[in-house]
Amino acid sequence: MQDLPATEVRTTCPYCGVGCGVLARVAADGNVTVRGDTDHPANFGRLCSKGSALGETTSLEGRLLVPEIGGRETSWDEALDLVARRFSETIEKHGPDSVAFYISGQLLTEDYYVANKLMKGFIGSANIDTNSRLCMASSVAGHRRAFGEDIVPGTYEDLDQADLVVLTGSNTAWCHPILYQRLLAAREARGTKIVVIDPRRTATAEECDLHLAVDPGTDVLLFNGLLAHLDIAGVIDRNFVDSSTTGFAEALSVASAEASSPGAVAAGCGLAEADVRLLYELFAATSRTVTVYSQGVNQSAHGTDKVNAIINCHLATGRIGQPGMGPFSVTGQPNAMGGREVGGLANQLAAHMNFDRPEDVERVERFWSAPAMARQAGLKAVDMFRAAGDGRAKALWVMGTNPAVSMPDSARVRTALKSCEFVVVSDVTRTDTTRYADVLLPAAAWGEKGGTVTNSERRMSRQRPFLPVPGNARADWRIICDVAQRMGFGDAFTYDGPLEIFREHARLSAFENHGDRLFDIGALAEIADAEYEHFPPRHWPQASGEPCAERLLVDGRFPTPDGRARFVAVRQEGVALPVDAKRPIALNSGRLRDQWHTMTRTGRVPRLMANVPAPTLEIAPLDAHRRGLRDGDLAHISSRYGFARARVTVSDNQKPGTAFLPMHWSGHFAANAGAGSLATPLSDPFSGHRN
Ligand SMILES: Nc1nc2c(c(=O)[nH]1)N[C@H]1C(S)=C(S)[C@@H](COP(=O)(O)OP(=O)(O)OC[C@H]3O[C@@H](n4cnc5c(=O)[nH]c(N)nc54)[C@H](O)[C@@H]3O)O[C@H]1N2
Ligand SMILES: Nc1nc2c(c(=O)[nH]1)N[C@H]1C(S)=C(S)[C@@H](COP(=O)(O)OP(=O)(O)OC[C@H]3O[C@@H](n4cnc5c(=O)[nH]c(N)nc54)[C@H](O)[C@@H]3O)O[C@H]1N2
Ligand code: SF4
Ligand SMILES: [Mo]
């Protein structure tokens, strides 16, 4: 990596899971400017609209700078004493499962590690879940079912090297913009074909060779039909299937019975038969195929089955672990992958270990010398807020996420936050959630704290501070350790900085790991101060004494007990978004190019607000006509769970019977425009994911 002028600091973008490298510079007058890091292998110097505007988000306007108890400013000592005392008393009186943490894929790996350690090893409950539940949990569960471990086999280079890229349930052009630009550049160079599977004609679909506007929730049928077609077309990789997998015959038989022909699939998915055939023929004929998927797959009551339906097609053709091919779940948040490494979900343990293996639980217990090791999975996000609402969870700590807006059935979540006895919120600014905080803790923000994040392709990068920590704000890892010490767990939480935590995290990944867990970064367990400071972006695994494997699952061996991958026989369940005469429109929600989630940062930047300045509901011409709605009208939208209001945009991009409302508008920016108020809390049985 090239040396930088002393005024520039090398760090990583805090938005999406592409994980672009950023060079930040602070001018003498305090103004921050950023540019892309040409040395970073995720972006090679490019930044999207949100990344380029990062310099405009670092002002202190609206920042939380002092701890508060009940709205009154106070000292850290008083706030931390109260948090520790209330958590300890609640645990003493009602047991460890009466408390919970709801955390975030936007925390750094080191923050995440200590939060998980405190809850699962020292408090003695697994009631810690993250907003990645809304995001990545179906991929995690699908990977574990198929591969035995939560593995993303591929790298971004596979997109450069593929001849066909299928983007399903992913508006890549807006949500992973730099990856999308990379894909377009590859197409320029080698003529890559791009297929988009999405009920909406998104910005991503505008550029593609084939767009399949599937009915929402019908992806399993589409991919089951593909599996059946691959068999008929004679492109099953028999060698690979025989030597590296189990369960093929059953998966194929279920798929073939359900999706007997492209015609049957087309009818079930609301597609033209010719388009279905075209996809199937392209897929069958192209060995270098990558299937990228995101929330249209994950965020659904049958998300795990969708993930396995996709993986089945890659296993059947042996298209996995080789250049230019593989299933590729792209992560949403900057550290969604890091959170999975440290076990941030209620049903995971740290370092890719799991509650369903008692030897894993004991191993983590031994490593931490944990006085109160949790032995079973805890409450997942939706259930956690139910428990907070009905009095089972009596003390809740929310860090780095805004569930009052972003959880489905958010009105119920707000009621739960109001009724929960003791709510702590760590954030950098006031949000719809901080309104419910009994104790408000001011966290250090991007640019003020250091640590590591891992992007979609398993590449770990450093975030580095370039600004002083303002007011009395503190880094999240430190706040968590401060509370842990006051709860009497001092010896295990005396880190002097993120580096010490990172070393422990690396040691745990290698602890009694004889190659059975692919997540192993043992080579970094003794990383020196200067090396952590320098830390070039690198993939995991980084096992001690072994070369770093960039692409995983290369040799046809999988981290299951028998070394084989598993086909999962999946059936198309009822459509994910049931509509009826009373509620005839299936509402879909997602993202805009220039906004980030609940807008706490991007909402402050005028040029990012300019593109779509107000909440809008996109609706098909036919549906608009039936309801007498025209462009610019104010629509009242209601669901079983709540209501919202938004301006109408009549658009051919919407399939009749579906409408799209961005997820971003919180109560802070618009009254009653929250998509979360309308969204269903129905969850996937395997991942706890909901649609
Ligand atoms: N600009 C911007 N970028 C972001 C974010 C942001 O807030 N703003 N957030 C980040 C995060 S955390 C995440 S998780 C990612 C999300 O990245 P994406 O998943 O690409 O984002 P969404 O806008 O939710 O798009 C999901 C797409 O799935 C489609 N879809 C809905 N139902 C179905 C279905 O049943 N089948 C199929 N095949 N498709 C369906 C929707 O129409 C929509 O276009 O984006 C990340 N990047
Ligand atoms: N209707 C609908 N709802 C959705 C989705 C959807 O598609 N549709 N998508 C879901 C998905 S995939 C996701 S990931 C979630 C995202 O939803 P949220 O996680 O609620 O979204 P953010 O607005 O990013 O919230 C992050 C919070 O952390 C704060 N913060 C920033 N930096 C720091 C820090 O360093 N420390 C601390 N302590 N706080 C910090 C920010 O100010 C902000 O309040 O939304 C989910 N909700
Ligand atoms: S693509 Fe994602 S990581 Fe890269 S600059 Fe844009 S928001 Fe940041
Ligand atoms: Mo997400």
Side-chain angles (χ1 to χ4, degrees), residues 22 36 40 46 62 153 194 212 380 387 393 416 467 509 527 568 588 591:
V22 168
H40 199 291
R46 286 183 293 265
I194 302 175
L212 299 177
K380 297 176 184 156
L467 290 166
S509 76
I527 186 171
V568 182
N588 180 354
R591 290 148 176 86

Side-chain angles (χ1 to χ4, degrees), residues 12-22 43 46-52 54 174-179 332 334 596:
T12 313
C13 176
Y15 295 126
C16 83
V18 178
C20 297
V22 168
N43 58 318
R46 286 183 293 265
L47 292 177
C48 74
S49 57
K50 294 183 301 303
S52 329
L54 271 169
W174 283 6
C175 296
H176 297 91
I178 296 302
L179 205 54
W596 178 258

